[in-house]
Amino acid sequence: QVQLVESGGGSVQAGDSLRLSCTASGRTFSNYAMGWFRQAPGKEREFVAAVTWSGGKRDYADSVKGRFTISRDIAKNTVYLQMSSLKLEDTAVYYCAADPLGEFKIRVATRTHEYTSWGQGTQVTVSS
């Protein structure tokens, strides 16, 4: 019942920054975790970052730690992924996802199967 729409993708050069947005509509997100995943051609979808909606607890994949920052604007029902120091290997389709039980878990949800709502994805292409 939660609809997610990603935006902000594009083509950038290595070292540049980009901010992705995910706007959500539907039921309240107070108990949700909101996550970002990405999928490169020929590869499995992988976890990037997530944040619990109310508590603000965060987790990041090791590959993006220190470069990416996830945040949310509760009033705007929007979660962001600020990406800096982009690398060629960051090229992928980035998906926003929602875990409706995120706040009830000890850890931030990082597994694909924990998320029940998904956006259509936004392409991020990094070149040199």
Side-chain angles (χ1 to χ4, degrees), residues 1-114:
Q1 200 167 348
V2 175
Q3 293 78 49
L4 306 174
V5 179
E6 304 95 337
S7 63
S11 298
V12 299
Q13 293 191 332
D16 285 353
S17 297
L18 199 63
R19 188 179 76 163
L20 305 182
S21 299
C22 174
T23 57
S25 61
R27 298 296 184 186
T28 179
F29 315 116
S30 61
N31 298 320
Y32 281 60
M34 301 295 295
W36 286 98
F37 292 76
R38 67 186 182 187
Q39 187 167 20
K43 296 185 178 180
E44 298 291 326
R45 189 169 298 184
E46 65 175 353
F47 170 77
V48 177
V51 61
T52 59
W53 194 250
S54 295
K57 187 177 181 180
R58 294 168 169 82
D59 197 12
Y60 298 91
D62 289 340
S63 60
V64 306
K65 194 171 299 182
R67 298 189 298 120
F68 291 10
T69 301
I70 188 170
S71 62
R72 85 283 196 216
D73 187 326
I74 296 176
K76 296 182 180 297
N77 287 338
T78 300
V79 61
Y80 304 97
L81 184 67
Q82 179 66 50
M83 305 181 292
S84 62
S85 301
L86 283 163
K87 304 175 180 180
L88 295 179
E89 52 264 41
D90 293 320
T91 295
V93 176
Y94 283 71
Y95 297 91
C96 178
D99 169 18
L101 303 177
E103 293 285 359
F104 301 117
K105 301 174 181 177
I106 297 175
R107 60 166 179 78
V108 179
T110 61
R111 295 172 293 183
T112 303
H113 69 83
E114 295 183 276

